[in-house]
Amino acid sequence: TNKPKAKGTAFETMCARWLTDRLGQRVERRSLHGTKDEGDLGWIVTPHGHAGIVECKAGAQAEAAQPAKVAEWRRQTLAERENSCAGFALLAIKTAGVGAKTLGRTRCDVTLADLCRLLLLEPSEASESVWVTIDLETACWCVTEGPDDL
């Protein structure tokens, strides 16, 4: 078997289950779409009807999270957001020492523009190229509760 692929599949499955429980909606692993990948997990739907995807990265490269590799994954996440016509995309990067019980502490990168959309704020054009790093629990809060609690 392919160990990196198995690690990726396990992380995707763990994230899908956690997000399903945390968000109260079915979040499924997505099948590959040839050269037009549409993200690993979908759909995540906000109470305001915005639908998004999650790209998951696991393994030694994810846990080391070198800037050049993260930049490549961010570009990939944006392409997958576009391919899937999603309103937002999250990049979940496996964090060393984080497992099923602490998955909310997983690193989650999102563009500032997508974060604004989740919070029902108007993003600037410049915010499309700015990335922020939060944790998966905070991203879920933004998806489910953020706009109503501001």
Side-chain angles (χ1 to χ4, degrees):
T1 60
N2 180 334
K3 272 192 167 179
K5 186 168 178 64
K7 283 182 180 182
T9 297
F11 182 61
E12 290 169 18
T13 301
M14 187 171 30
C15 286
R17 287 181 182 148
W18 189 88
L19 288 165
T20 293
D21 289 345
R22 174 65 178 78
L23 298 174
Q25 58 184 277
R26 189 165 172 81
V27 177
E28 295 184 348
R29 286 188 62 233
R30 302 175 80 166
S31 58
L32 295 174
H33 289 80
T35 59
K36 294 277 188 179
D37 195 358
E38 297 182 2
D40 296 318
L41 308 178
W43 289 97
I44 293 174
V45 183
T46 71
H48 304 283
H50 298 292
I53 55 121
V54 181
E55 177 64 13
C56 298
K57 295 297 178 186
Q61 286 189 328
E63 293 192 16
Q66 295 299 316
K69 186 52 85 173
V70 171
E72 177 186 323
W73 293 336
R74 287 173 170 180
R75 284 189 296 275
Q76 179 185 359
T77 300
L78 292 179
E80 292 173 4
R81 181 186 71 187
E82 188 172 320
N83 291 344
S84 64
C85 298
F88 65 92
L90 305 174
L91 170 60
I93 302 173
K94 174 77 172 77
T95 306
V98 171
K101 290 186 168 130
T102 56
L103 205 64
R105 295 198 321 243
T106 296
R107 177 180 173 167
C108 184
D109 287 16
V110 60
T111 66
L112 186 54
D114 281 358
L115 191 58
C116 286
R117 288 182 193 99
L118 285 171
L119 297 174
L120 300 180
L121 302 170
E122 190 64 38
S124 69
E125 194 174 315
S127 67
E128 289 289 350
S129 61
V130 176
W131 285 81
V132 294
T133 299
I134 56 178
D135 61 24
L136 199 54
E137 184 65 43
T138 302
C140 286
W141 180 87
C142 293
V143 167
T144 60
E145 301 163 33
D148 296 330
D149 287 350
L150 290 176

